[in-house]
Amino acid sequence: MTTNINMFEKETAEATAEALDTSVAEGLSVAAARQRLAENGKNVFEEQKKKTVLQSFLSQLNDPMIFILMAAAVISAILREYTDAVIIVAIILLNAIIGMIQESKAEKSLEALKKLSSPVALVRRDGLISEIAAEELVVGDVVILEAGRIVPADIRLTETINLKIEESALTGESVPVEKDAAFVADSDIGIGDRVNMAYLSTGVSYGRGEGIVVATGMGTEMGKIAKMISETKEEMTPLQRKLAGLGKILGILAIIICAALFGIALLQGRDMFDMLLTAISLAVAAIPEGLPAVVTIVLALGVQRMVRVHTIVRKLPAVETLGSVSVVCSDKTGTLTQNKMTVTKVYTSGRLLSVDELNYDRDKRFADGFILCTDAEIDRERELVIGDPTELALLYMGEKVGVAKRDLDLAMPRVDELAFDSDRKMMTTVHRLDDINTISFTKGAMDNILECCDNIDEDGDIRPITAADKETVTSIASSMAGDALRVLALAYRTGDKTASEEHLIFLGLVGMIDPPRPEAPGAVREFREAAVTTVMITGDHRDTAFAIAKEIGIADSPEQCVSGTELDAMTQEELNAVVPKLRVFARVSPQHKVMIVKAFKSHGHIVSMTGDGVNDAPSLKAADIGVAMGITGTDVSKGAADMILTDDNFATIRLAIREGRNIYNNIRETVLFLLSSNLGEIITMFGAILVGLLSPLRAIHILWINLITDSLPALALGVDPPEDDIMKHPPRDAKEGIFARGGMAVTVLFGAIIGCVTLAAFLYVPISILLQQGLPISPSGINAVLADEYLYARAQTFAFTTLAISQLFNAIGFKKLNKSVFKTNHLENKMMIAAFALGFLLQVAVTEIPFLNEVFSTTQLSLKEWACITVVCTIPLWCHELLRLIRKK
């Protein structure tokens, strides 16, 4: 059921109960609950319709280039060119299967959210407390919350007794939130500040409470996140958009070529059936049949390489997208920070120290007091960590000085205690030193502790505490708070076997924070060098967020920070206008995160969003590429993300971006290489037809080159290692086309060179015979020579072989377009060496093996002819070197 949740934090508990027609003391009646359940439905999330295997397979075929290949296959089959049709269909199926296997994991976002939902709830109905399935909860039910339980719905709290709820997965808050049923908001506030509310799927870590259900199912904050995930539309990546555009261009080009060919055929009075076969050959030449499969395989190989740098890619195109990222929006808690409260500063006996300077022999009582006055537990043998993050930080501090709480508990067992509560803001434990003596430690808020202190301990010297002492302690605490540290004070007293918080002796302070990951500052610095902006997004308070951002190097001025309250007052357009100067977003909700991603995207940025919580899922989905944490990340965030970091290391994103940039560069070089090869085929075919010659190539020749001879080196280009300075350049413009930066000129130039070399090879046989016979060289004379089937097959073999081998040399030239082939370490890419050798051997096979001679209509060549053809085929490589030399000059 959906309700206006925002109204309840502004109302008293009594007013909420009245509005929902329920009694806090009695709860709903069973009959009323049953009626509301029938009217509003169960407390569950709506199912997201899954893709069937067939739908998943068909989605892989939804590509303009695939449509053109399908048309070519159908026409080939109609013309009974069954071999051509089968080869084309095989390529289509290969491309679809590879894509489907890589993306076979269905979206798990909503399923994971459902798993987060509490299976049972403790409710009061008709005055009786009972445990029911959480899905049967209705608005108005009175729910009892206890430590260890999961909150089963969105609840307006009516009673809280030391209640603390862990909300980091929802809000990003790094410590449990202390709840207060008496709080009444006087204006709209963010989720993290609604201390009179408890939210579905968060966990009760301490205390107990009661409350009235105000929202269930899709009406809860978790439900809103589920809805945002399901409503986010899948957008095409830059590469997908470019390849789709390229497919359309090639399709139009194929139609134009075929139409032009028929026009020429009519003018020249040629046989229309022969022209139809030739037209199919030209259409096949215009389409790089291997391109979809090559791009898919190159991306898949990139995915395998990224596994080695602790990155799992859920969607193939995400690899390339990461390479064009210009803004990295990162969640703070657990991503930039360790999601582990850590003591960083201590103050005792007049000394302000870093935690590493703490000396146990000198500061024994200070360390013992903070360690003993906790309810947390760390058991390294059983890998058990239990307790409030703040108290765990004190135990970690003990481990740093070589003291375990378990040993202290044995030496000084607890005999009495006063539990923490929100009124006193203190906790006291009493410990037995021996059969006679005891000591009590009191920790809590600095102001409250100081009020209870009569004396101060300085290295064992106990004296009355003065106003100057209190002023110094307050100043030190303010300094720690200014660094966004959470401050706790410690005092003690001796002699009492019962807990007392009067006439205490002040011992000192600790300051703790969820610290940055050690690798984060270096990663941010390298991002800056690569012109990639890092942005922090967090549910934490503004001061804490800025302190971490400043330490990491994300922000250097408070003006670069904005809070969720300020975002609430902005429209999307207003945020779009100011977002370029912002670097830190604090106290934000899931809706805010999506707004922020959209704001950066409005400026043409390719945005990556990293996160680990449920609250990150909608923005992970909205970003161009969502990156989830594999260890601390929730199943929801992993389901919504495009990529998952298996080591939760923010710095791994840098390696992933490096790999992404290299993959795009490799794919671009691969596409340009394949298109220049196809252009060479078009020029060969169209040039010959235009002047009235017979076709230099058969359709099967072109298919062989496009699918085998070209595809092997194209795959090798796709795995070329990155250049050393790849992260010293800014990310490419997202609108930059594949043909940018001279790509079109290179494609046309080398297409023309290959076309001319191939035509020359085709004409070599008939022109040699005409010269031997002393006959004039003309199109009709050449066609007369080629009327002999053997000579025609021989001329086509020369053209076929020259085209295939020249494209192998052309591939070597396309390897590192801006670097000389003589200055390249070719052993870095052993696949290119293997591809060249295998391509050459396969071409030898189709010309020298009798069975293949019949299939491909080729003739055998002599060793001398092979040597001559090979030398001629190096022309594209020398042209690459000449072009680099001209560019350098």
Side-chain angles (χ1 to χ4, degrees):
M1 177 177 177
T2 303
T3 60
N4 182 9
I5 298 175
N6 289 341
M7 67 178 279
F8 296 113
E9 79 231 11
K10 301 176 188 176
E11 300 285 352
T12 62
E14 292 77 12
T16 301
E18 187 177 341
L20 297 175
D21 193 22
T22 190
S23 163
V24 175
E26 294 292 320
L28 289 175
S29 67
V30 173
R34 197 174 292 131
Q35 183 181 347
R36 292 188 186 189
L37 186 65
E39 290 174 356
N40 302 311
K42 290 187 176 183
N43 178 30
V44 294
F45 295 141
E46 293 173 2
E47 293 282 349
Q48 188 178 29
K49 196 173 182 181
K50 296 178 185 177
K51 273 185 182 179
T52 63
V53 174
L54 179 61
Q55 287 172 326
S56 179
F57 177 78
L58 293 176
S59 69
Q60 301 295 327
L61 304 178
N62 187 20
D63 182 274
M65 209 172 295
I66 298 295
F67 295 154
I68 295 165
L69 290 180
M70 288 177 179
V74 169
I75 296 171
S76 296
I78 291 170
L79 296 175
R80 298 186 179 181
E81 296 290 330
Y82 298 120
T83 305
D84 299 356
V86 168
I87 293 173
I88 295 172
V89 169
I91 284 298
I92 293 170
L93 292 176
L94 176 66
N95 180 69
I97 290 167
I98 291 172
M100 201 171 79
I101 289 171
Q102 188 62 33
E103 297 176 14
S104 61
K105 289 183 180 179
E107 289 295 325
K108 294 181 180 178
S109 301
L110 296 184
E111 287 86 342
L113 277 167
K114 284 173 66 180
K115 287 177 186 175
L116 279 176
S117 301
S118 173
V120 292
L122 209 57
V123 299
R124 182 182 293 119
R125 288 179 178 174
D126 286 329
L128 300 174
I129 294 176
S130 60
E131 195 169 63
I132 65 169
E135 65 179 25
E136 294 177 9
L137 279 177
V138 296
V139 170
D141 260 326
V142 175
V143 175
I144 290 86
L145 300 175
E146 299 171 333
R149 284 191 176 269
I150 301 296
V151 179
D154 283 3
I155 296 168
R156 169 58 167 94
L157 297 167
T158 57
E159 181 184 0
T160 52
I161 301 171
N162 302 326
L163 182 64
K164 291 184 181 181
I165 296 180
E166 168 62 58
E167 296 181 342
S168 63
L170 178 65
T171 66
E173 183 78 57
S174 52
V175 295
V177 179
E178 192 175 319
K179 296 296 183 177
D180 181 6
F183 173 78
V184 176
D186 55 7
S187 61
D188 287 337
I189 54 177
I191 295 174
D193 296 316
R194 299 174 191 170
V195 294
N196 55 5
M197 298 287 296
Y199 295 104
L200 173 68
S201 297
T202 56
V204 180
S205 60
Y206 193 82
R208 58 190 177 86
E210 290 186 11
I212 301 171
V213 174
V214 296
T216 60
M218 297 301 287
T220 63
E221 292 296 332
M222 283 289 185
K224 291 177 184 176
I225 291 174
K227 188 177 181 184
M228 290 168 70
I229 293 171
S230 62
E231 288 179 350
T232 304
K233 294 179 180 177
E234 294 284 343
E235 293 185 8
M236 294 178 76
T237 69
L239 180 65
Q240 286 174 319
R241 286 194 290 267
K242 291 177 181 67
L243 291 179
L246 179 62
K248 291 173 185 175
I249 292 169
L250 292 175
I252 293 168
L253 180 63
I255 293 168
I256 291 172
I257 288 172
C258 290
L261 200 63
F262 274 109
I264 293 168
L266 287 171
L267 291 173
Q268 294 179 347
R270 294 198 181 206
D271 181 87
M272 296 306 293
F273 183 78
D274 287 342
M275 277 297 99
L276 189 57
L277 285 176
T278 306
I280 289 295
S281 298
L282 263 173
V284 168
I287 307 297
E289 284 80 7
L291 182 59
V294 166
V295 170
T296 303
I297 293 168
V298 167
L299 288 172
L301 291 172
V303 166
Q304 297 307 313
R305 288 199 304 277
M306 294 187 84
V307 170
R308 295 183 210 131
V309 293
H310 309 291
T311 306
I312 295 173
V313 178
R314 295 184 64 248
K315 299 172 184 176
L316 278 181
V319 185
E320 174 271 332
T321 308
L322 196 63
S324 58
V325 164
S326 54
V327 174
V328 174
C329 294
S330 177
D331 181 48
K332 179 185 78 70
T333 306
T335 306
L336 288 166
T337 65
Q338 298 173 27
N339 199 17
K340 173 180 162 184
M341 291 297 286
T342 304
V343 175
T344 57
K345 289 184 180 179
V346 297
Y347 174 74
T348 181
S349 299
R351 293 180 294 269
L352 179 62
L353 310 168
S354 76
V355 70
D356 295 325
E357 295 174 301
L358 193 64
N359 185 312
Y360 186 66
D361 292 333
R362 181 190 65 203
D363 306 312
K364 183 178 187 303
R365 180 157 288 179
F366 173 85
D368 287 352
F370 269 121
I371 295 165
L372 285 167
C373 194
T374 65
D375 291 326
E377 182 184 348
I378 298 176
D379 188 333
R380 295 298 182 191
E381 291 179 6
R382 292 187 293 161
E383 298 182 352
L384 192 66
V385 178
I386 301 172
D388 182 277
T390 301
E391 294 197 334
L392 286 169
L394 299 173
L395 301 193
Y396 295 136
M397 178 185 75
E399 288 185 339
K400 280 197 171 186
V401 294
V403 182
K405 183 172 185 284
R406 181 191 293 179
D407 297 333
L408 288 180
D409 283 336
L410 292 172
M412 292 184 278
R414 185 183 298 189
V415 294
D416 196 18
E417 66 181 283
L418 280 175
F420 176 89
D421 71 45
S422 54
D423 294 327
R424 293 173 17 255
K425 294 187 177 178
M426 289 187 289
M427 170 185 179
T428 298
T429 58
V430 184
H431 303 269
R432 188 173 66 243
L433 296 174
D434 51 44
D435 292 340
I436 301 171
N437 299 304
T438 59
I439 186 170
S440 70
F441 293 105
T442 302
K443 82 169 193 305
M446 185 269 301
D447 293 339
N448 299 48
I449 294 283
L450 276 183
E451 285 179 10
C452 301
C453 290
D454 295 336
N455 296 290
I456 187 169
D457 185 328
E458 291 185 340
D459 290 328
D461 180 22
I462 300 170
R463 60 174 177 79
I465 193 166
T466 64
D469 291 328
K470 290 185 177 182
E471 189 176 326
T472 300
V473 171
T474 303
S475 175
I476 294 294
S478 298
S479 171
M480 287 183 178
D483 291 332
L485 300 183
R486 184 185 181 94
V487 181
L488 286 179
L490 179 71
Y492 75 100
R493 60 178 285 158
T494 58
D496 289 335
K497 291 185 179 180
T498 57
S500 173
E501 294 173 344
E502 296 178 346
H503 310 299
L504 302 178
I505 303 166
F506 183 80
L507 259 179
L509 306 170
V510 294
M512 61 182 70
I513 197 169
D514 180 13
R517 290 177 174 272
E519 64 277 357
V524 171
R525 185 171 56 253
E526 290 192 48
F527 280 146
R528 193 179 300 114
E529 291 174 358
V532 176
T533 302
T534 308
V535 174
M536 178 193 287
I537 302 177
T538 179
D540 248 338
H541 292 278
R542 184 173 184 153
D543 292 344
T544 305
F546 175 65
I548 294 291
K550 187 176 181 181
E551 185 175 348
I552 292 174
I554 291 174
D556 50 30
S557 166
E559 283 72 40
Q560 293 175 297
C561 304
V562 67
S563 69
T565 306
E566 293 169 283
L567 290 174
D568 282 331
M570 292 184 192
T571 63
Q572 183 69 59
E573 291 70 28
E574 288 170 338
L575 179 58
N576 294 353
V578 299
V579 79
K581 61 183 181 183
L582 299 176
R583 294 293 177 269
V584 179
F585 299 84
R587 303 303 278 174
V588 297
S589 68
Q591 292 89 340
H592 292 149
K593 294 186 178 189
V594 175
M595 276 182 70
I596 294 162
V597 169
K598 288 180 178 177
F600 279 110
K601 288 174 76 170
S602 73
H603 290 271
H605 289 292
I606 299 295
V607 181
S608 166
M609 173 71 191
T610 70
D612 60 355
V614 174
N615 60 325
D616 298 318
S619 50
L620 289 173
K621 195 96 171 179
D624 292 290
I625 179 161
V627 183
M629 299 292 145
I631 299 172
T632 58
T634 61
D635 286 344
V636 184
S637 64
K638 293 174 190 175
D642 301 293
M643 291 172 53
I644 299 166
L645 303 183
T646 58
D647 62 352
D648 281 16
N649 190 334
F650 178 76
T652 300
I653 300 170
R654 175 187 61 82
L655 299 175
I657 287 179
R658 174 186 172 88
E659 188 65 46
R661 287 187 176 189
N662 184 55
I663 284 172
Y664 179 81
N665 290 343
N666 288 348
I667 287 177
R668 178 175 178 269
E669 289 176 0
T670 299
V671 171
L672 295 181
F673 160 69
L674 289 174
L675 292 181
S676 68
S677 298
N678 281 72
L679 184 60
E681 294 163 7
I682 291 170
I683 290 172
T684 301
M685 294 286 290
F686 205 75
I689 302 302
L690 197 61
V691 297
L693 298 174
L694 295 176
S695 176
L697 299 164
R698 295 176 178 270
I700 196 170
H701 294 164
I702 296 169
L703 276 172
W704 172 263
I705 290 170
N706 287 357
L707 300 178
I708 306 299
T709 315
D710 278 359
S711 295
L712 292 172
L715 285 173
L717 284 173
V719 298
D720 223 20
E723 296 181 22
D724 294 335
D725 63 347
I726 196 167
M727 289 298 285
K728 300 294 183 185
H729 302 294
R732 70 182 188 280
D733 188 333
K735 297 176 183 175
E736 176 187 293
I738 289 172
F739 295 114
R741 291 178 283 139
M744 178 62 79
V746 168
T747 302
V748 172
L749 175 63
F750 287 96
I753 291 168
I754 289 170
C756 292
V757 169
T758 305
L759 268 176
F762 175 68
L763 295 172
Y764 173 77
V765 172
I767 289 176
S768 297
I769 292 173
L770 289 173
L771 289 174
Q772 287 173 6
Q773 295 176 354
L775 298 173
I777 300 169
S778 66
S780 58
I782 292 169
N783 286 342
V785 173
L786 297 178
D788 184 308
E789 284 189 14
Y790 173 75
L791 292 178
Y792 185 29
R794 189 166 174 73
Q796 283 190 325
T797 302
F798 269 61
F800 178 30
T801 305
T802 302
L803 181 62
I805 304 302
S806 65
Q807 290 186 7
L808 292 177
F809 281 104
N810 190 34
I812 294 174
F814 267 92
K815 185 174 176 287
K816 298 286 184 290
L817 277 170
N818 297 317
K819 197 171 183 180
S820 170
V821 68
F822 300 110
K823 294 181 180 179
T824 301
N825 181 5
H826 294 283
L827 293 177
E828 282 183 338
N829 190 349
K830 294 183 178 66
M831 189 180 282
M832 178 60 81
I833 298 171
F836 184 93
L838 183 58
F840 203 105
L841 288 173
L842 287 172
Q843 193 58 36
V844 170
V846 297
T847 57
E848 302 303 323
I849 297 175
F851 165 71
L852 293 176
N853 287 153
E854 292 182 20
V855 174
F856 286 89
S857 300
T858 54
T859 61
Q860 295 178 342
L861 301 174
S862 67
L863 192 61
K864 182 180 178 182
E865 287 169 335
W866 269 108
C868 290
I869 287 173
T870 302
V871 170
V872 170
C873 290
T874 62
I875 290 175
L877 186 58
W878 295 111
C879 289
H880 274 288
E881 287 301 304
L882 181 61
L883 184 60
R884 288 190 190 98
L885 190 62
I886 293 169
R887 281 179 173 174
K888 190 175 180 181
K889 294 290 183 183

